[in-house]
């Protein structure tokens, strides 16, 4: 005859409460040791399952975000990059800018930590279960261009517009021709005052004409990005140089 304990284990597994089933012995011991009521014991068992599912959901959201690496704000060396206001970055991490549908632009030369900070904020967003996605600007343009050729541009624009936070990395590293600039404008226009976007770039806004190949389109893009935006200008040494110096000092 199957014991009551085994039937409970079987029921939990049948209901796909795998973590609750795995933790049953531990929870029973805790209930007994602390003389908990039936309701308190059941609550603890379901809390174990809920915590497990939340953890898995967060991992899934981070994975879907397609981040280039897993780095958080705590991993950023603010002492090495004193031009960055730590308090302001921590405020971004609280994600209030997403509720306000504001944008963030990280502006500075290559290697100063723009992508690290953008990614860290993105990971914080994903952990709060906001639909978040990271993409290089060139890859974004190529996807929109391909979608246009295949007569599915509107669907692709809807896809990128669904993200509560979209991170567009390395804008300006490669030139964008006039027709492709129109595609980029359509995306920015859809997200304008509707969703938040983080952009990293090494080009000052006054020089964006040269990126997009058309001053009218460039001005329209800049206008929509900056209307509700915080611009973080980063100056200083490259992190890659820092790592190189550390290795050099270690070898000396």
């Amino acid at each position: 005859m199957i014991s009551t304990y085994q039937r409970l284990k079987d029921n939990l597994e049948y209901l796909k409460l795998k973590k609750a089933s795995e933790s049953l012995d531990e929870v029973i011991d805790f209930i007994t040791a602390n003389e908990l009521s039936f309701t308190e014991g059941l609550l603890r068992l379901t809390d174990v399952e809920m915590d497990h599912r939340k953890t898995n959901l967060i991992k899934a959201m981070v994975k879907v975000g397609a981040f280039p690496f897993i780095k958080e704000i705590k991993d950023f060396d603010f002492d090495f990059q004193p031009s960055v206001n730590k308090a302001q970055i921590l405020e971004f991490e609280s994600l209030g800018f997403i509720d306000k549908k504001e944008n963030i632009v990280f502006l500075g030369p290559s290697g100063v930590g723009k992508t690290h900070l953008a990614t860290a904020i993105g990971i914080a967003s994903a952990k709060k279960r906001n639909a978040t996605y990271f993409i290089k600007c060139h890859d974004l343009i190529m996807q929109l261009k391909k979608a246009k050729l295949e007569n599915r541009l509107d669907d692709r624009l809807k896809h990128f517009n669904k993200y509560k936070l979209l991170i567009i990395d390395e804008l300006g590293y490669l030139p964008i021709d006039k027709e492709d600039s129109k595609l980029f404008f359509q995306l920015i226009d859809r997200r304008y005052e509707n969703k938040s976007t983080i952009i990293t770039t090494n080009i000052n806004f006054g020089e964006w004409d040269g990126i997009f190949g058309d001053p009218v389109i460039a001005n329209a893009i800049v206008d929509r990005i900056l209307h509700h935006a915080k611009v973080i200008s980063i100056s200083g040494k490259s992190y890659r140089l820092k790592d190189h110096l550390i290795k050099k000092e270690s070898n000396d």
Side-chain angles (χ1 to χ4, degrees):
M1 185 175 180
I2 301 177
S3 67
T4 302
Y5 168 84
Q6 189 57 52
R7 286 181 61 193
L8 176 57
K9 287 274 289 186
D10 291 344
N11 287 350
L12 291 171
E13 290 175 7
Y14 180 80
L15 294 170
K16 301 188 186 304
L17 302 175
K18 183 179 179 182
K19 194 63 179 179
S21 176
E22 291 174 353
S23 305
L24 184 57
D25 291 343
E26 180 185 339
V27 172
I28 289 174
D29 290 343
F30 185 86
I31 292 169
T32 303
N34 293 275
E35 299 181 346
L36 299 182
S37 68
F38 170 78
T39 304
E40 290 170 324
L42 188 58
L43 176 61
R44 184 168 184 85
L45 186 63
T46 53
D47 277 346
V48 167
E49 184 68 32
M50 290 290 290
D51 289 344
H52 176 68
R53 293 193 180 193
K54 286 177 182 177
T55 299
N56 283 345
L57 179 59
I58 287 171
K59 288 180 180 177
M61 292 293 286
V62 171
K63 186 176 182 179
V64 167
F67 301 106
F69 42 68
I70 302 300
K71 289 184 179 180
E72 301 185 61
I73 300 296
K74 61 183 175 61
D75 303 315
F76 189 82
D77 190 346
F78 288 94
D79 291 332
F80 183 78
Q81 216 60 287
S83 67
V84 179
N85 185 327
K86 183 176 181 179
Q88 185 178 35
I89 300 301
L90 291 175
E91 179 63 27
F92 291 152
E93 190 180 28
S94 71
L95 308 177
F97 76 97
I98 293 179
D99 295 330
K100 298 174 185 175
K101 300 177 175 58
E102 294 176 341
N103 302 322
I104 300 173
V105 180
F106 288 105
L107 173 64
S110 178
V112 295
K114 302 186 301 297
T115 300
H116 180 153
L117 291 172
T119 297
I121 295 168
I123 288 173
S125 173
K127 284 185 172 182
K128 289 295 184 181
R129 292 184 281 178
N130 293 314
T132 306
Y133 194 71
F134 179 104
I135 189 168
K136 298 287 185 184
C137 184
H138 178 70
D139 294 337
L140 172 64
I141 295 296
M142 291 301 99
Q143 287 195 34
L144 295 178
K145 189 171 185 175
K146 185 173 184 289
K148 183 183 179 183
L149 291 171
E150 296 174 352
N151 295 315
R152 54 182 183 85
L153 176 60
D154 191 61
D155 287 341
R156 204 62 192 157
L157 288 169
K158 286 178 181 177
H159 167 78
F160 285 119
N161 193 47
K162 76 180 181 182
Y163 294 106
K164 205 165 185 180
L165 176 60
L166 179 64
I167 302 170
I168 304 174
D169 191 40
E170 296 185 347
L171 188 152
Y173 284 72
L174 293 171
I176 303 170
D177 68 34
K178 185 173 180 179
E179 290 305 309
D180 292 347
S181 296
K182 293 177 182 177
L183 301 178
F184 188 79
F185 168 77
Q186 288 182 63
L187 175 61
I188 295 301
D189 188 51
R190 288 198 183 202
R191 295 185 62 81
Y192 174 59
E193 297 189 323
N194 182 39
K195 302 286 175 62
S196 292
T197 305
I198 295 178
I199 291 176
T200 74
T201 182
N202 62 339
I203 306 295
N204 290 319
F205 302 112
E207 301 171 12
W208 279 27
D209 290 8
I211 299 175
F212 294 105
D214 185 308
V216 175
I217 294 175
N219 288 338
I221 291 171
V222 170
D223 180 65
R224 283 159 177 76
I225 290 173
L226 295 186
H227 185 205
H228 304 291
K230 298 290 191 301
V231 178
I232 312 303
S233 295
I234 306 176
S235 58
K237 297 178 181 178
S238 167
Y239 272 93
R240 299 183 189 96
L241 175 61
K242 173 192 174 187
D243 294 340
H244 174 74
L245 290 174
I246 291 174
K247 289 178 183 177
K248 186 176 184 299
E249 289 172 0
S250 299
N251 293 330
D252 287 345

